[in-house]
Amino acid sequence: MFKRLIRSNLRRVITKEKNIILKRKIPSLDKCYQDINELGIYLHIPFCEQICPYCPYNKELYKPDVARRYTKAVKAEIDRYSDLIGNKSVSSFYIGGGTPTTMLYSGLAEILEHAFKRFTIQCDIHMESHPNHLIANNLNTIASMGIKHLSIGVEALQDKHLKTLNRPYTVEGVKKAVERAVNKNFTCVNVDIIFALPDQTYYEIEQAGHALVEMGVDQVAAYPLFIFRYTQLGKTLKKSKHKVSNLFTRRKMLGILENIFYGANFRRTSVWAFTRSGVPKYCSVTVPLYLGLGGSGGSYLRDVFYLNTFCVAEYIKALEDGRMPIALSLDLSEAMQMAGWLYWRIYETRFKKIDFKARFGKDFNEIYGRYVKPLSLLGFLKDEEDEIILSDKGIYWLHAFEDLFSINYINTLWGDLKREPWPAEVAIQ
Ligand SMILES: C[S@@+](CC[C@H](N)C(=O)[O-])C[C@H]1O[C@@H](n2cnc3c(N)ncnc32)[C@H](O)[C@@H]1O
Ligand code: SF4
């Protein structure tokens, strides 16, 4: 109740909107893409070999025949966009999931080849992977597809925590998988780790941090365990005897990781990620505007946000019938566009005021200057005339802010879209 009140008041101040309601409406795509010269692409692969109890992402169990139909559907979706964006520069390409490596031999290469034919891709490809898939042969296949930045979902480096998360490998096994990837000459190997796990101690966090540095990875993305109410963990954790973290323990755990990574010459490259000095960062779509392909793919354009249906069968059927798989869309007012832009730039921990001016034609200080001064006095950020840089303290409080907004947004929007492939509308409270 209290959280809801803060959320709605903050939303009103930032976006000037009382309610945010996504509607079942396909936006005019010609109009959406006409003024865009550069964009990113996100491709969603919604398959996994097992369903983890904590995971909020849109996925279902992998079946080779469904993956083959999915491949055809994604190629058809690419065709629908080729006239609209074929000659625009794609400057960021990210394959996420689910588990993209489930489709290594059932269509992923075909989809990529097709995307390269239809779009003007001028960037490296970043892709997520599951540790159990990283045997030597598969790593060769991944490299041969032109993937230069690879992320591995390691999640924990103590067997008891891997067990709590129901991850299907041991610490010994996962270290070997990471070692094989690190020796493979990717531009950047990122490892995902989840901290603030049930019953996790500070000592275990410290152990995991040092182990990651020793494993020679280029980047670590460290997420606190988020509890999504529609996941299995979300339904059972409150009733269990496990000790869960609070804001204070999370802050201390993150502080331990910060000390270890800064001490090992890593720099902070996003709210969650630490990257070895001199290595380009691994990350999701980096440009402000992007097109999302696949089931649950979301597209964020200048004045509209839209989402594909989450149901894989409905996504495939829509494209087989020659329909667009878009389930919901939201027109973005200027205040919402600015808030969205700011949210993602802050996520990268720093941004230039001139980029705000280039996007909105307005002076950053005029719009947000009155908030910058007090935040700077509180030590949350540094205002360097032309650039805003978040401090570690500011980044931590952004975590808390994430908890308040993003988790609620995901719980509502993704939760509803998982239950209903084509909802009439979804209201975010
Ligand atoms: C799509 S998964 C990674 C690729 C692959 N599916 C795997 O599990 O190895 C993306 C990442 O999100 C993070 N993640 C998933 N659920 C989370 C949660 N409830 N809280 C925090 N991080 C989570 C994990 O670190 C995970 O590696
Ligand atoms: S964590 Fe990864 S493997 Fe597990 S269900 Fe989520 S996407 Fe699939």
Side-chain angles (χ1 to χ4, degrees), residues 54 56-57 97-99 128-130 153 155 167 192 223-224 226 228:
Y54 52 89
Y57 296 105
T99 305
E128 294 172 355
S129 70
H130 191 286
E155 319 308 1
R167 297 293 288 182
D192 284 345
Y223 307 102
F226 291 122
F228 298 91

Side-chain angles (χ1 to χ4, degrees), residues 34 44 55 109 121 132 184 224 247 266 320 368-369 393 406 415:
Q34 76 187 1
H44 190 78
C55 175
I121 299 174
N132 281 8
K184 197 70 209 164
L247 276 177
F266 283 59
E320 282 176 352
Y368 290 114
K393 185 173 165 190
S406 318

Side-chain angles (χ1 to χ4, degrees), residues 15 17 332-340 360-362 367-368:
T15 65
E17 299 289 324
L332 303 169
S333 66
E334 191 184 49
M336 284 161 88
Q337 291 172 46
M338 286 179 180
F360 297 104
K362 292 189 176 159
I367 309 284
Y368 290 114

Side-chain angles (χ1 to χ4, degrees), residues 231-291:
T231 60
Q232 197 197 325
L233 193 75
K235 288 175 190 152
T236 55
L237 194 62
K238 270 201 181 144
K239 291 182 215 139
S240 80
K241 286 191 218 120
H242 288 299
K243 221 169 119 201
V244 278
S245 67
N246 55 34
L247 276 177
F248 171 76
T249 47
R250 278 183 186 203
R251 174 73 200 109
K252 193 159 169 193
M253 287 177 174
L254 190 63
I256 293 170
L257 293 173
E258 280 164 2
N259 284 340
I260 292 171
F261 296 128
Y262 293 151
N265 211 14
F266 283 59
R267 67 195 193 282
R268 196 154 207 156
T269 45
S270 83
V271 166
W272 309 119
F274 302 87
T275 312
R276 210 177 270 281
S277 172
V279 177
K281 68 177 172 181
Y282 168 94
C283 54
S284 185
V285 180
T286 49
V287 279
L289 307 174
Y290 57 85
L291 157 66

Side-chain angles (χ1 to χ4, degrees), residues 54 76-77 85 87 89 99 150 188 305 318 326 332 335-336 342 365:
Y54 52 89
E77 194 184 14
I85 65 158
N87 55 5
S89 163
T99 305
L150 188 71
C188 182
F305 170 71
I326 300 170
L332 303 169
M336 284 161 88
L342 205 57
N365 287 339

Side-chain angles (χ1 to χ4, degrees), residues 338 341-342 346 351-357 360-372 381 383 385-388:
M338 286 179 180
W341 186 93
L342 205 57
I346 287 177
F351 64 87
K352 292 213 165 16
K353 292 179 187 174
I354 201 168
D355 290 338
F356 183 86
K357 176 111 190 179
F360 297 104
K362 292 189 176 159
D363 187 54
F364 176 81
N365 287 339
E366 238 170 69
I367 309 284
Y368 290 114
R370 69 197 135 130
Y371 304 115
V372 168
L381 50 83
D383 183 1
E385 290 292 307
D386 57 341
E387 196 176 19
I388 298 283

Side-chain angles (χ1 to χ4, degrees), residues 113-239:
E113 227 169 84
H114 200 67
F116 271 92
K117 258 191 231 152
R118 296 281 186 266
F119 299 146
T120 311
I121 299 174
Q122 299 179 314
C123 56
D124 285 348
I125 302 176
H126 297 227
M127 187 176 82
E128 294 172 355
S129 70
H130 191 286
N132 281 8
H133 292 153
L134 300 183
I135 54 171
N137 244 352
N138 292 352
L139 280 162
N140 289 339
T141 306
I142 293 168
S144 72
M145 284 177 187
I147 284 141
K148 298 264 191 328
H149 303 245
L150 188 71
S151 176
I152 312 170
V154 169
E155 319 308 1
L157 282 164
Q158 281 95 18
D159 283 325
K160 66 173 186 182
H161 294 305
L162 287 174
K163 211 165 156 200
T164 312
L165 295 175
N166 204 19
R167 297 293 288 182
Y169 46 80
T170 60
V171 171
E172 198 191 341
V174 82
K175 280 188 173 171
K176 285 190 183 136
V178 172
E179 192 184 335
R180 283 191 291 274
V182 165
N183 290 331
K184 197 70 209 164
N185 272 337
F186 289 105
T187 306
C188 182
V189 172
N190 169 81
V191 159
D192 284 345
I193 198 96
I194 306 181
F195 69 94
L197 295 168
D199 305 322
Q200 194 169 32
T201 64
Y202 296 128
Y203 176 67
E204 286 166 347
I205 297 280
E206 203 177 323
Q207 243 188 353
H210 287 301
L212 286 160
V213 172
E214 273 164 32
M215 282 151 74
V217 300
D218 301 304
Q219 180 173 300
V220 177
Y223 307 102
L225 178 67
F226 291 122
I227 312 290
F228 298 91
R229 56 176 181 258
Y230 62 85
T231 60
Q232 197 197 325
L233 193 75
K235 288 175 190 152
T236 55
L237 194 62
K238 270 201 181 144
K239 291 182 215 139

